[in-house]
Amino acid sequence: MMDNEKTLTPKLIKKLWFAFILLIVLMGASYIFITGYLTLNYNQAITQRINSNVAEHVIQEKFQNEAPFLEDGSVNKKLFGDLMHDMMAVNRGIEVYLLNKSGDILYSVVLEHNDNEPMKSVSLEPIKDYIATNGQEFILGDDPLNPDEQNIFSAAPFSIDGHEGYIYIIVAGKQLALISDNLFSSYFTKLSIGAILLTMLFAALIGILSIWFLTKNLRLITQTVRKFQEGDLDIRIENPEQSDIEVVALSFNKMADTIVDNMDKMKSVDNLRRELIANVSHDLRTPLAVLKGYIETLQIKKDSLTENQKEEYLQITHDNIDKLSGLINQLFEYSKLEAEQVTPIKEPFSITELSHDLIAKFKLLAEQKQIHLQLDNPEENYMVYADIGLVERALQNLIENAIKYTEPKGKVTLSLIKMGKQIEINITDTGSGIPINDQPFIFDRYKQVDKTTQKRGLGLGLAIVKKIMDLHDTTIVVLSKPYEGSSFIFKLPAYQLQ
Ligand code: ADP
Protein backbone atom coordinates (compact mmCIF):
# COMPACT_ATOMS: atom_id res chain seq x y z
CA MET A 1 0.00 0.00 0.00
CA MET A 2 1.36 3.42 -1.00
CA ASP A 3 -0.14 5.04 2.04
CA ASN A 4 1.80 2.80 4.36
CA GLU A 5 5.12 3.76 2.83
CA LYS A 6 4.53 7.46 3.25
CA THR A 7 5.93 7.94 6.68
CA LEU A 8 6.67 11.65 6.77
CA THR A 9 4.41 14.51 5.88
CA PRO A 10 5.41 16.46 2.76
CA LYS A 11 4.93 19.58 4.90
CA LEU A 12 7.90 18.66 7.06
CA ILE A 13 10.08 17.94 4.04
CA LYS A 14 9.04 21.25 2.47
CA LYS A 15 9.89 23.16 5.62
CA LEU A 16 13.26 21.46 5.89
CA TRP A 17 14.04 22.32 2.26
CA PHE A 18 12.91 25.90 2.68
CA ALA A 19 15.17 26.32 5.72
CA PHE A 20 17.99 24.81 3.78
CA ILE A 21 17.67 26.98 0.71
CA LEU A 22 17.46 30.05 2.93
CA LEU A 23 20.67 28.93 4.60
CA ILE A 24 22.42 28.52 1.24
CA VAL A 25 21.33 31.96 0.02
CA LEU A 26 22.44 33.60 3.26
CA MET A 27 25.74 31.76 3.12
CA GLY A 28 26.28 32.78 -0.51
CA ALA A 29 25.49 36.43 0.24
CA SER A 30 27.82 36.61 3.22
CA TYR A 31 30.52 34.87 1.22
CA ILE A 32 30.23 37.43 -1.58
CA PHE A 33 30.20 40.31 0.86
CA ILE A 34 33.23 39.15 2.82
CA THR A 35 35.23 38.26 -0.29
CA GLY A 36 34.32 41.58 -1.93
CA TYR A 37 35.35 43.59 1.10
CA LEU A 38 38.62 41.76 1.61
CA THR A 39 39.58 41.82 -2.10
CA LEU A 40 39.09 45.59 -2.29
CA ASN A 41 41.28 46.14 0.74
CA TYR A 42 43.81 43.69 -0.59
CA ASN A 43 44.06 45.50 -3.92
CA GLN A 44 44.48 48.85 -2.25
CA ALA A 45 47.03 47.52 0.21
CA ILE A 46 49.11 46.11 -2.66
CA THR A 47 48.97 49.32 -4.67
CA GLN A 48 49.94 51.34 -1.62
CA ARG A 49 52.82 49.04 -0.75
CA ILE A 50 54.17 49.10 -4.35
CA ASN A 51 54.07 52.88 -4.36
CA SER A 52 55.31 53.31 -0.83
CA ASN A 53 58.52 55.10 -1.73
CA VAL A 54 57.16 57.31 -4.54
CA ALA A 55 56.98 60.43 -2.32
CA GLU A 56 60.46 59.81 -0.92
CA HIS A 57 61.68 59.35 -4.46
CA VAL A 58 60.22 62.65 -5.64
CA ILE A 59 62.01 64.46 -2.83
CA GLN A 60 65.32 62.79 -3.51
CA GLU A 61 65.18 63.17 -7.31
CA LYS A 62 63.61 66.57 -7.74
CA PHE A 63 64.68 68.51 -4.69
CA GLN A 64 68.35 67.57 -4.92
CA ASN A 65 69.39 70.12 -7.52
CA GLU A 66 66.54 72.57 -7.26
CA ALA A 67 64.70 73.89 -4.19
CA PRO A 68 60.90 73.55 -4.15
CA PHE A 69 60.59 77.20 -3.05
CA LEU A 70 61.98 80.29 -4.73
CA GLU A 71 63.88 82.94 -2.84
CA ASP A 72 60.77 85.04 -2.29
CA GLY A 73 59.22 82.05 -0.56
CA SER A 74 56.79 81.21 -3.38
CA VAL A 75 56.50 77.71 -4.84
CA ASN A 76 58.94 76.76 -7.60
CA LYS A 77 56.32 76.17 -10.32
CA LYS A 78 58.88 75.23 -12.91
CA LEU A 79 60.12 72.35 -10.84
CA PHE A 80 56.59 71.06 -10.45
CA GLY A 81 55.96 71.60 -14.17
CA ASP A 82 58.77 69.11 -14.86
CA LEU A 83 57.23 66.75 -12.42
CA MET A 84 53.95 66.99 -14.31
CA HIS A 85 55.69 66.01 -17.55
CA ASP A 86 57.23 62.97 -15.89
CA MET A 87 53.88 61.91 -14.50
CA MET A 88 52.08 62.36 -17.81
CA ALA A 89 54.46 59.87 -19.30
CA VAL A 90 54.10 57.35 -16.51
CA ASN A 91 50.74 57.53 -14.78
CA ARG A 92 48.09 60.13 -15.31
CA GLY A 93 46.20 58.98 -12.28
CA ILE A 94 48.79 60.23 -9.80
CA GLU A 95 48.12 63.46 -7.83
CA VAL A 96 51.05 65.21 -6.11
CA TYR A 97 50.53 67.74 -3.29
CA LEU A 98 53.00 69.97 -1.57
CA LEU A 99 51.95 70.41 2.07
CA ASN A 100 53.30 72.71 4.75
CA LYS A 101 53.87 71.17 8.15
CA SER A 102 50.31 71.84 9.28
CA GLY A 103 48.80 69.99 6.33
CA ASP A 104 47.73 72.99 4.19
CA ILE A 105 48.01 72.39 0.45
CA LEU A 106 50.58 74.85 -0.97
CA TYR A 107 50.64 73.49 -4.51
CA SER A 108 49.17 70.58 -6.40
CA VAL A 109 49.99 68.74 -9.61
CA VAL A 110 46.82 67.11 -10.84
CA LEU A 111 46.15 66.00 -14.42
CA GLU A 112 42.65 64.64 -14.06
CA HIS A 113 40.36 67.21 -12.49
CA ASN A 114 36.76 66.72 -11.47
CA ASP A 115 33.88 68.99 -10.55
CA ASN A 116 34.41 68.82 -6.78
CA GLU A 117 35.80 71.79 -4.91
CA PRO A 118 39.34 70.64 -3.93
CA MET A 119 40.24 70.62 -0.23
CA LYS A 120 42.53 73.33 1.13
CA SER A 121 44.24 71.14 3.68
CA VAL A 122 44.44 67.45 4.56
CA SER A 123 44.51 65.63 7.87
CA LEU A 124 48.10 65.04 9.07
CA GLU A 125 47.33 62.10 11.31
CA PRO A 126 47.35 59.34 8.66
CA ILE A 127 50.42 60.95 7.06
CA LYS A 128 52.37 60.85 10.32
CA ASP A 129 51.26 57.28 10.98
CA TYR A 130 52.34 56.32 7.49
CA ILE A 131 55.78 57.86 7.89
CA ALA A 132 56.19 56.31 11.34
CA THR A 133 55.50 52.81 9.95
CA ASN A 134 57.76 53.41 6.95
CA GLY A 135 54.91 52.89 4.52
CA GLN A 136 54.53 49.28 5.52
CA GLU A 137 50.98 49.56 6.94
CA PHE A 138 47.76 49.90 5.01
CA ILE A 139 46.54 53.40 5.87
CA LEU A 140 43.92 55.56 4.10
CA GLY A 141 44.23 59.32 3.94
CA ASP A 142 42.18 62.33 2.74
CA ASP A 143 41.67 62.61 -1.03
CA PRO A 144 41.71 66.39 -1.76
CA LEU A 145 39.76 65.97 -5.04
CA ASN A 146 37.09 63.80 -3.44
CA PRO A 147 36.49 65.25 0.03
CA ASP A 148 34.00 62.49 0.92
CA GLU A 149 36.39 59.64 0.22
CA GLN A 150 39.54 58.18 1.74
CA ASN A 151 42.29 56.94 -0.54
CA ILE A 152 45.66 55.25 -0.50
CA PHE A 153 48.67 57.53 -0.60
CA SER A 154 52.44 57.81 -0.32
CA ALA A 155 54.02 60.55 1.78
CA ALA A 156 57.46 61.78 2.86
CA PRO A 157 58.66 64.79 4.90
CA PHE A 158 61.13 67.38 3.61
CA SER A 159 63.10 70.17 5.24
CA ILE A 160 64.89 72.44 2.77
CA ASP A 161 66.15 76.01 3.36
CA GLY A 162 64.08 76.41 6.51
CA HIS A 163 60.94 75.20 4.75
CA GLU A 164 59.39 72.12 6.31
CA GLY A 165 56.47 70.12 4.97
CA TYR A 166 55.39 66.97 3.20
CA ILE A 167 55.09 65.62 -0.29
CA TYR A 168 51.70 63.89 -0.30
CA ILE A 169 50.85 61.69 -3.28
CA ILE A 170 47.50 60.07 -3.97
CA VAL A 171 48.63 56.97 -5.85
CA ALA A 172 45.32 55.53 -6.96
CA GLY A 173 43.74 58.50 -8.61
CA LYS A 174 40.39 58.55 -10.27
CA GLN A 175 41.42 56.67 -13.35
CA LEU A 176 43.17 53.95 -11.44
CA ALA A 177 40.15 53.54 -9.23
CA LEU A 178 37.94 53.30 -12.33
CA ILE A 179 40.13 50.66 -13.96
CA SER A 180 40.46 48.66 -10.81
CA ASP A 181 36.71 48.89 -10.25
CA ASN A 182 36.03 47.62 -13.78
CA LEU A 183 38.53 44.84 -13.54
CA PHE A 184 37.45 44.00 -10.09
CA SER A 185 33.77 43.80 -10.92
CA SER A 186 34.40 41.46 -13.87
CA TYR A 187 36.62 39.16 -11.78
CA PHE A 188 34.32 39.56 -8.91
CA THR A 189 31.24 38.55 -10.92
CA LYS A 190 33.03 35.44 -12.10
CA LEU A 191 34.25 34.69 -8.60
CA SER A 192 30.79 35.23 -7.13
CA ILE A 193 29.01 33.05 -9.64
CA GLY A 194 31.61 30.31 -9.19
CA ALA A 195 31.48 30.56 -5.44
CA ILE A 196 27.69 30.52 -5.32
CA LEU A 197 27.46 27.56 -7.67
CA LEU A 198 30.02 25.59 -5.72
CA THR A 199 28.48 26.50 -2.38
CA MET A 200 25.04 25.55 -3.62
CA LEU A 201 26.28 22.25 -4.99
CA PHE A 202 27.99 21.27 -1.76
CA ALA A 203 25.15 22.60 0.35
CA ALA A 204 22.59 20.66 -1.67
CA LEU A 205 24.63 17.47 -1.27
CA ILE A 206 25.02 18.00 2.44
CA GLY A 207 21.35 19.00 2.61
CA ILE A 208 20.10 15.81 1.00
CA LEU A 209 22.32 13.72 3.23
CA SER A 210 21.43 15.51 6.43
CA ILE A 211 17.69 15.53 5.70
CA TRP A 212 17.93 11.81 5.05
CA PHE A 213 19.82 11.19 8.30
CA LEU A 214 17.62 13.56 10.25
CA THR A 215 14.43 11.93 9.10
CA LYS A 216 15.73 8.36 9.33
CA ASN A 217 14.76 7.97 12.98
CA LEU A 218 11.57 9.88 12.40
CA ARG A 219 10.59 7.44 9.66
CA LEU A 220 11.30 4.52 11.95
CA ILE A 221 9.20 6.00 14.74
CA THR A 222 6.34 6.79 12.38
CA GLN A 223 6.38 3.24 11.05
CA THR A 224 6.33 1.79 14.56
CA VAL A 225 3.51 4.09 15.68
CA ARG A 226 1.50 3.11 12.61
CA LYS A 227 1.97 -0.60 13.29
CA PHE A 228 0.93 -0.07 16.89
CA GLN A 229 -2.13 1.82 15.71
CA GLU A 230 -2.98 -1.06 13.41
CA GLY A 231 -3.10 -3.40 16.39
CA ASP A 232 0.42 -4.78 16.85
CA LEU A 233 0.48 -3.98 20.57
CA ASP A 234 3.83 -5.67 21.21
CA ILE A 235 5.78 -3.46 18.84
CA ARG A 236 8.25 -1.01 20.40
CA ILE A 237 10.97 1.25 19.03
CA GLU A 238 14.22 -0.69 19.23
CA ASN A 239 17.19 0.85 21.07
CA PRO A 240 15.37 4.08 21.87
CA GLU A 241 18.48 5.49 23.63
CA GLN A 242 20.33 5.42 20.33
CA SER A 243 17.68 7.34 18.48
CA ASP A 244 18.41 10.97 17.56
CA ILE A 245 15.03 11.82 19.03
CA GLU A 246 15.49 9.78 22.16
CA VAL A 247 12.78 11.56 24.14
CA VAL A 248 10.13 10.83 21.53
CA ALA A 249 11.23 7.21 21.16
CA LEU A 250 11.29 6.61 24.92
CA SER A 251 7.98 8.40 25.42
CA PHE A 252 6.33 6.33 22.71
CA ASN A 253 7.60 3.09 24.29
CA LYS A 254 6.39 4.20 27.72
CA MET A 255 3.05 5.30 26.31
CA ALA A 256 2.63 1.95 24.55
CA ASP A 257 3.44 0.15 27.82
CA THR A 258 0.88 2.25 29.69
CA ILE A 259 -1.78 1.61 27.07
CA VAL A 260 -1.13 -2.15 27.14
CA ASP A 261 -1.09 -2.12 30.97
CA ASN A 262 -4.37 -0.26 31.11
CA MET A 263 -5.89 -2.64 28.60
CA ASP A 264 -4.71 -5.58 30.73
CA LYS A 265 -6.18 -3.96 33.81
CA MET A 266 -9.47 -3.39 32.04
CA LYS A 267 -9.46 -7.00 30.87
CA SER A 268 -8.78 -8.27 34.39
CA VAL A 269 -11.53 -6.08 35.82
CA ASP A 270 -13.79 -7.51 33.17
CA ASN A 271 -12.76 -11.08 34.09
CA LEU A 272 -13.25 -10.31 37.75
CA ARG A 273 -16.74 -9.07 37.06
CA ARG A 274 -17.57 -12.22 35.14
CA GLU A 275 -16.09 -14.44 37.85
CA LEU A 276 -17.87 -12.45 40.50
CA ILE A 277 -21.22 -12.83 38.81
CA ALA A 278 -20.70 -16.59 38.43
CA ASN A 279 -19.60 -17.02 42.05
CA VAL A 280 -22.09 -14.65 43.51
CA SER A 281 -25.04 -16.21 41.77
CA HIS A 282 -23.88 -19.60 42.99
CA ASP A 283 -23.16 -18.56 46.55
CA LEU A 284 -26.28 -16.48 46.98
CA ARG A 285 -28.56 -19.09 45.50
CA THR A 286 -28.15 -21.59 48.40
CA PRO A 287 -29.23 -19.36 51.31
CA LEU A 288 -31.95 -17.87 49.09
CA ALA A 289 -33.30 -21.34 48.26
CA VAL A 290 -33.29 -22.26 51.96
CA LEU A 291 -35.08 -19.00 52.79
CA LYS A 292 -37.67 -19.55 50.10
CA GLY A 293 -38.32 -23.14 51.25
CA TYR A 294 -38.90 -22.24 54.88
CA ILE A 295 -41.03 -19.20 54.13
CA GLU A 296 -43.23 -21.27 51.75
CA THR A 297 -43.60 -23.99 54.41
CA LEU A 298 -44.54 -21.32 56.94
CA GLN A 299 -47.14 -19.93 54.52
CA ILE A 300 -48.68 -23.27 53.52
CA LYS A 301 -48.56 -25.10 56.85
CA LYS A 302 -49.26 -22.05 58.94
CA ASP A 303 -52.08 -23.77 60.81
CA SER A 304 -50.63 -27.25 61.28
CA LEU A 305 -47.25 -26.16 62.63
CA THR A 306 -46.61 -26.06 66.34
CA GLU A 307 -45.36 -22.84 67.95
CA ASN A 308 -41.95 -24.44 68.49
CA GLN A 309 -41.67 -25.47 64.86
CA LYS A 310 -42.67 -21.99 63.72
CA GLU A 311 -40.02 -20.54 66.06
CA GLU A 312 -37.40 -22.91 64.68
CA TYR A 313 -38.27 -22.11 61.05
CA LEU A 314 -38.15 -18.40 61.73
CA GLN A 315 -34.74 -18.81 63.40
CA ILE A 316 -33.48 -20.66 60.30
CA THR A 317 -34.77 -17.90 58.00
CA HIS A 318 -33.15 -15.33 60.27
CA ASP A 319 -29.77 -17.13 60.17
CA ASN A 320 -29.89 -17.39 56.41
CA ILE A 321 -30.70 -13.71 56.06
CA ASP A 322 -27.68 -12.99 58.28
CA LYS A 323 -25.51 -15.19 56.12
CA LEU A 324 -26.79 -13.50 52.97
CA SER A 325 -26.17 -10.01 54.24
CA GLY A 326 -22.71 -11.11 55.44
CA LEU A 327 -21.89 -12.38 51.97
CA ILE A 328 -23.19 -9.25 50.31
CA ASN A 329 -21.17 -7.05 52.69
CA GLN A 330 -18.03 -9.04 51.94
CA LEU A 331 -18.60 -8.70 48.24
CA PHE A 332 -19.19 -5.00 48.50
CA GLU A 333 -16.07 -4.57 50.59
CA TYR A 334 -13.92 -6.59 48.24
CA SER A 335 -15.10 -4.82 45.11
CA LYS A 336 -14.31 -1.46 46.70
CA LEU A 337 -10.77 -2.63 47.56
CA GLU A 338 -10.33 -4.14 44.12
CA ALA A 339 -11.41 -0.92 42.43
CA GLU A 340 -8.81 0.92 44.53
CA GLN A 341 -11.48 3.15 45.98
CA VAL A 342 -10.22 2.75 49.53
CA THR A 343 -7.50 5.05 50.87
CA PRO A 344 -6.19 4.09 54.28
CA ILE A 345 -6.46 6.79 56.91
CA LYS A 346 -3.49 6.02 59.12
CA GLU A 347 -3.36 7.09 62.76
CA PRO A 348 -1.74 5.84 65.93
CA PHE A 349 -3.87 3.39 67.94
CA SER A 350 -3.43 0.62 70.48
CA ILE A 351 -3.31 -2.75 68.74
CA THR A 352 -3.50 -4.34 72.21
CA GLU A 353 -6.84 -2.68 72.91
CA LEU A 354 -8.17 -3.61 69.49
CA SER A 355 -7.14 -7.24 70.08
CA HIS A 356 -8.89 -7.26 73.47
CA ASP A 357 -12.08 -5.97 71.84
CA LEU A 358 -11.96 -8.58 69.08
CA ILE A 359 -11.31 -11.45 71.53
CA ALA A 360 -14.34 -10.25 73.50
CA LYS A 361 -16.41 -10.08 70.34
CA PHE A 362 -15.56 -13.63 69.23
CA LYS A 363 -15.58 -15.13 72.75
CA LEU A 364 -19.15 -16.33 72.49
CA LEU A 365 -18.71 -17.88 69.05
CA ALA A 366 -15.53 -19.65 70.22
CA GLU A 367 -17.22 -20.94 73.35
CA GLN A 368 -20.09 -22.32 71.29
CA LYS A 369 -17.49 -24.36 69.37
CA GLN A 370 -15.60 -25.19 72.59
CA ILE A 371 -12.56 -23.39 71.29
CA HIS A 372 -10.19 -21.62 73.62
CA LEU A 373 -9.63 -18.12 72.27
CA GLN A 374 -6.92 -16.05 73.98
CA LEU A 375 -4.63 -13.05 73.70
CA ASP A 376 -0.98 -13.67 74.50
CA ASN A 377 0.92 -11.08 76.46
CA PRO A 378 -2.20 -9.01 77.29
CA GLU A 379 -0.44 -6.57 79.66
CA GLU A 380 1.85 -4.86 77.17
CA ASN A 381 0.25 -1.92 75.41
CA TYR A 382 1.52 -1.72 71.84
CA MET A 383 0.73 1.25 69.61
CA VAL A 384 0.79 0.97 65.83
CA TYR A 385 0.42 3.49 63.02
CA ALA A 386 -2.22 2.18 60.60
CA ASP A 387 -5.86 2.44 59.51
CA ILE A 388 -7.73 1.08 62.51
CA GLY A 389 -10.88 0.16 60.58
CA LEU A 390 -8.99 -1.82 57.94
CA VAL A 391 -6.74 -3.59 60.49
CA GLU A 392 -9.84 -4.54 62.49
CA ARG A 393 -11.41 -5.96 59.34
CA ALA A 394 -8.28 -8.04 58.57
CA LEU A 395 -7.98 -9.39 62.13
CA GLN A 396 -11.70 -10.19 62.17
CA ASN A 397 -11.39 -12.26 58.97
CA LEU A 398 -8.33 -14.10 60.29
CA ILE A 399 -9.91 -14.89 63.70
CA GLU A 400 -13.15 -15.92 61.99
CA ASN A 401 -11.23 -18.32 59.74
CA ALA A 402 -9.19 -19.68 62.65
CA ILE A 403 -12.36 -20.45 64.59
CA LYS A 404 -14.09 -21.78 61.49
CA TYR A 405 -11.33 -24.24 60.57
CA THR A 406 -10.55 -25.44 64.10
CA GLU A 407 -12.23 -28.47 65.67
CA PRO A 408 -13.85 -28.35 69.13
CA LYS A 409 -11.36 -28.40 72.04
CA GLY A 410 -8.88 -26.60 69.84
CA LYS A 411 -7.07 -23.34 70.55
CA VAL A 412 -6.87 -19.98 68.76
CA THR A 413 -4.20 -17.57 69.97
CA LEU A 414 -3.63 -13.95 69.01
CA SER A 415 -0.18 -12.72 69.97
CA LEU A 416 1.56 -9.36 69.64
CA ILE A 417 5.35 -9.14 69.66
CA LYS A 418 7.49 -6.01 69.38
CA MET A 419 10.28 -6.45 66.87
CA GLY A 420 12.36 -3.30 66.57
CA LYS A 421 10.25 -0.63 64.94
CA GLN A 422 7.47 -3.04 64.11
CA ILE A 423 4.79 -5.00 65.91
CA GLU A 424 4.30 -8.57 64.73
CA ILE A 425 0.72 -9.85 64.86
CA ASN A 426 0.26 -13.59 64.86
CA ILE A 427 -3.01 -15.55 64.71
CA THR A 428 -2.35 -19.21 65.38
CA ASP A 429 -4.87 -22.05 65.52
CA THR A 430 -4.71 -25.76 66.12
CA GLY A 431 -7.10 -26.44 63.27
CA SER A 432 -7.14 -28.48 60.09
CA GLY A 433 -4.15 -26.71 58.56
CA ILE A 434 -3.64 -25.95 54.87
CA PRO A 435 -1.91 -28.32 52.42
CA ILE A 436 1.52 -26.95 51.36
CA ASN A 437 0.49 -26.93 47.70
CA ASP A 438 -2.52 -24.76 48.42
CA GLN A 439 -0.75 -22.28 50.65
CA PRO A 440 0.45 -19.94 47.87
CA PHE A 441 -3.08 -19.57 46.51
CA ILE A 442 -5.29 -19.07 49.55
CA PHE A 443 -4.97 -15.27 49.30
CA ASP A 444 -6.34 -15.32 45.76
CA ARG A 445 -9.98 -14.45 45.49
CA TYR A 446 -12.48 -17.32 45.43
CA LYS A 447 -9.71 -19.76 46.37
CA GLN A 448 -11.04 -22.39 48.71
CA VAL A 449 -9.01 -25.41 49.67
CA ASP A 450 -11.88 -27.80 50.15
CA LYS A 451 -14.91 -26.93 48.11
CA THR A 452 -17.02 -29.70 49.54
CA THR A 453 -17.11 -28.64 53.18
CA GLN A 454 -20.00 -26.83 54.69
CA LYS A 455 -17.55 -24.27 56.02
CA ARG A 456 -16.88 -22.57 52.77
CA GLY A 457 -17.76 -18.95 52.37
CA LEU A 458 -17.25 -16.82 49.28
CA GLY A 459 -13.48 -17.28 49.43
CA LEU A 460 -13.04 -13.53 49.69
CA GLY A 461 -11.95 -13.32 53.35
CA LEU A 462 -8.21 -13.76 52.78
CA ALA A 463 -8.30 -11.82 49.51
CA ILE A 464 -9.65 -8.86 51.51
CA VAL A 465 -6.87 -9.36 54.12
CA LYS A 466 -4.28 -9.35 51.34
CA LYS A 467 -5.62 -6.09 49.89
CA ILE A 468 -5.54 -4.46 53.32
CA MET A 469 -1.91 -5.55 53.74
CA ASP A 470 -1.08 -4.04 50.33
CA LEU A 471 -2.61 -0.74 51.41
CA HIS A 472 -0.29 -0.75 54.44
CA ASP A 473 2.78 -1.71 52.36
CA THR A 474 3.20 -4.89 54.35
CA THR A 475 2.84 -8.61 53.64
CA ILE A 476 1.15 -11.51 55.33
CA VAL A 477 2.65 -15.00 55.51
CA VAL A 478 1.05 -18.30 56.35
CA LEU A 479 2.80 -21.14 58.19
CA SER A 480 0.69 -24.24 58.27
CA LYS A 481 0.85 -27.97 58.53
CA PRO A 482 -2.16 -30.13 57.69
CA TYR A 483 -3.86 -31.54 60.81
CA GLU A 484 -1.63 -29.47 63.12
CA GLY A 485 -2.80 -25.94 62.59
CA SER A 486 -2.01 -22.64 60.89
CA SER A 487 -0.37 -19.34 61.74
CA PHE A 488 -1.05 -16.12 59.89
CA ILE A 489 1.64 -13.50 60.57
CA PHE A 490 1.98 -9.85 59.54
CA LYS A 491 3.76 -6.74 60.76
CA LEU A 492 2.65 -3.15 61.26
CA PRO A 493 4.86 -0.12 61.99
CA ALA A 494 5.06 0.61 65.73
CA TYR A 495 4.09 4.11 66.77
CA GLN A 496 6.84 5.67 68.87
CA LEU A 497 5.63 8.06 71.52
CA GLN A 498 8.02 11.01 71.53
P1 ADP B 1 -13.52 -18.67 52.90
O1 ADP B 1 -14.62 -17.71 52.74
O2 ADP B 1 -13.66 -19.90 52.08
O3 ADP B 1 -13.11 -18.92 54.30
P2 ADP B 1 -10.99 -17.29 52.77
O4 ADP B 1 -10.45 -16.42 51.72
O5 ADP B 1 -11.19 -16.70 54.10
O6 ADP B 1 -12.30 -17.93 52.19
O7 ADP B 1 -10.03 -18.52 52.86
C1 ADP B 1 -9.62 -19.22 51.73
C2 ADP B 1 -9.31 -20.66 52.04
O8 ADP B 1 -8.15 -20.77 52.85
C3 ADP B 1 -10.39 -21.29 52.81
O9 ADP B 1 -11.36 -21.84 51.97
C4 ADP B 1 -9.64 -22.38 53.58
O10 ADP B 1 -9.54 -23.54 52.83
C5 ADP B 1 -8.26 -21.82 53.78
N1 ADP B 1 -8.06 -21.27 55.14
C6 ADP B 1 -8.11 -20.00 55.51
N2 ADP B 1 -7.84 -19.85 56.85
C7 ADP B 1 -7.60 -21.09 57.32
C8 ADP B 1 -7.24 -21.60 58.61
N3 ADP B 1 -7.09 -20.82 59.69
N4 ADP B 1 -7.07 -22.93 58.71
C9 ADP B 1 -7.21 -23.73 57.64
N5 ADP B 1 -7.54 -23.32 56.39
C10 ADP B 1 -7.73 -22.00 56.22
Side-chain angles (χ1 to χ4, degrees), residues 276-490:
L276 207 68
I277 290 166
N279 280 271
V280 167
S281 47
H282 182 268
D283 286 300
L284 299 186
R285 212 176 289 145
T286 323
L288 272 177
V290 176
L291 266 179
K292 194 169 174 245
Y294 279 95
I295 290 172
E296 274 173 5
T297 318
L298 275 170
Q299 276 175 333
I300 298 161
K301 299 191 179 167
K302 193 160 52 193
D303 303 328
S304 58
L305 286 175
T306 65
E307 273 312 305
N308 272 352
Q309 277 175 320
K310 277 186 196 164
E311 197 58 42
E312 189 195 339
Y313 288 7
L314 279 173
Q315 188 57 48
I316 294 170
T317 28
H318 188 269
D319 290 349
N320 275 286
I321 287 173
D322 272 356
K323 196 174 171 191
L324 259 180
S325 69
L327 288 178
I328 289 165
N329 276 344
Q330 217 181 12
L331 254 175
F332 185 60
E333 216 172 323
Y334 182 75
S335 53
K336 268 206 311 197
L337 283 164
E338 177 72 35
E340 289 171 9
Q341 280 175 2
V342 180
T343 339
I345 302 160
K346 294 184 186 168
E347 54 183 340
F349 68 88
S350 163
I351 186 82
T352 315
E353 253 174 59
L354 180 67
S355 306
H356 274 301
D357 291 351
L358 285 168
I359 297 279
K361 189 174 167 188
F362 284 100
K363 202 83 194 166
L364 192 69
L365 184 71
E367 273 167 13
Q368 280 172 359
K369 280 193 73 180
Q370 297 175 23
I371 287 168
H372 183 67
L373 175 65
Q374 64 168 29
L375 175 68
D376 243 12
N377 197 7
E379 285 79 32
E380 285 289 346
N381 185 22
Y382 293 132
M383 299 285 287
V384 291
Y385 187 72
D387 183 314
I388 183 167
L390 292 174
V391 172
E392 182 178 7
R393 187 84 198 105
L395 281 174
Q396 211 168 300
N397 285 4
L398 293 170
I399 298 172
E400 235 167 29
N401 275 353
I403 296 174
K404 189 156 69 168
Y405 297 104
T406 302
E407 300 304 315
K409 304 237 160 34
K411 218 165 98 178
V412 172
T413 312
L414 174 62
S415 57
L416 307 169
I417 307 155
K418 187 163 174 30
M419 300 182 97
K421 289 187 171 167
Q422 289 181 309
I423 306 292
E424 186 185 272
I425 298 133
N426 186 327
I427 300 105
T428 301
D429 63 59
T430 55
S432 57
I434 306 156
I436 303 277
N437 292 345
D438 291 320
Q439 284 177 18
F441 308 110
I442 53 170
F443 294 101
D444 293 349
R445 52 183 180 249
Y446 310 128
K447 188 71 196 175
Q448 291 152 335
V449 173
D450 182 1
K451 299 218 172 201
T452 58
T453 65
Q454 280 301 301
K455 288 172 183 170
R456 57 184 293 255
L458 271 182
L460 285 175
L462 288 183
I464 289 174
V465 172
K466 176 81 181 20
K467 288 268 171 209
I468 292 172
M469 297 298 130
D470 290 348
L471 286 176
H472 284 86
D473 300 316
T474 183
T475 46
I476 181 161
V477 287
V478 56
L479 303 174
S480 178
K481 266 191 187 165
Y483 312 114
E484 283 183 26
S486 322
S487 286
F488 286 85
I489 306 158
F490 66 95

Side-chain angles (χ1 to χ4, degrees), residues 65-258:
N65 304 322
E66 239 176 306
F69 297 96
L70 297 177
E71 268 163 29
D72 61 359
S74 63
V75 175
N76 184 348
K77 293 188 178 164
K78 189 183 155 287
L79 175 71
F80 285 100
D82 283 354
L83 189 64
M84 190 176 321
H85 277 289
D86 293 353
M87 279 159 46
M88 275 170 108
V90 181
N91 185 349
R92 292 175 61 88
I94 279 184
E95 300 157 18
V96 180
Y97 298 92
L98 177 69
L99 307 179
N100 66 11
K101 62 179 180 177
S102 29
D104 301 327
I105 298 171
L106 302 177
Y107 195 76
S108 62
V109 183
V110 177
L111 296 176
E112 306 282 337
H113 286 276
N114 63 15
D115 299 337
N116 293 340
E117 176 73 18
M119 291 162 81
K120 298 262 183 298
S121 69
V122 294
S123 164
L124 278 183
E125 210 135 308
I127 297 175
K128 283 179 178 161
D129 284 350
Y130 181 84
I131 293 165
T133 59
N134 235 345
Q136 297 304 304
E137 291 273 311
F138 173 54
I139 299 171
L140 294 175
D142 287 342
D143 183 348
L145 284 186
N146 300 290
D148 301 331
E149 281 174 31
Q150 295 269 293
N151 218 329
I152 46 173
F153 64 90
S154 171
F158 67 84
S159 174
I160 294 164
D161 305 336
H163 291 280
E164 279 182 42
Y166 301 94
I167 288 292
Y168 182 63
I169 302 177
I170 296 292
V171 280
K174 209 182 161 201
Q175 209 176 13
L176 183 75
L178 211 74
I179 293 165
S180 105
D181 268 1
N182 279 345
L183 262 177
F184 176 69
S185 57
S186 93
Y187 272 110
F188 191 62
T189 317
K190 280 183 203 158
L191 179 76
S192 310
I193 291 171
I196 290 176
L197 281 179
L198 263 180
T199 316
M200 283 185 96
L201 186 76
F202 283 124
L205 270 175
I206 294 169
I208 291 169
L209 276 177
S210 45
I211 288 177
W212 189 80
F213 270 118
L214 209 83
T215 53
K216 199 175 106 181
N217 286 296
L218 215 54
R219 280 197 302 274
L220 194 83
I221 291 177
T222 323
Q223 264 165 11
T224 316
V225 172
R226 183 158 291 156
K227 278 190 188 146
F228 187 82
Q229 176 213 330
E230 281 165 0
D232 184 354
L233 297 182
D234 293 329
I235 199 157
R236 296 288 181 278
I237 294 158
E238 278 173 35
N239 304 328
E241 318 73 38
Q242 280 164 26
S243 168
D244 292 335
I245 15 184
E246 188 185 335
V247 186
V248 180
L250 282 174
S251 304
F252 168 78
N253 281 1
K254 271 194 202 139
M255 186 192 77
D257 287 346
T258 315

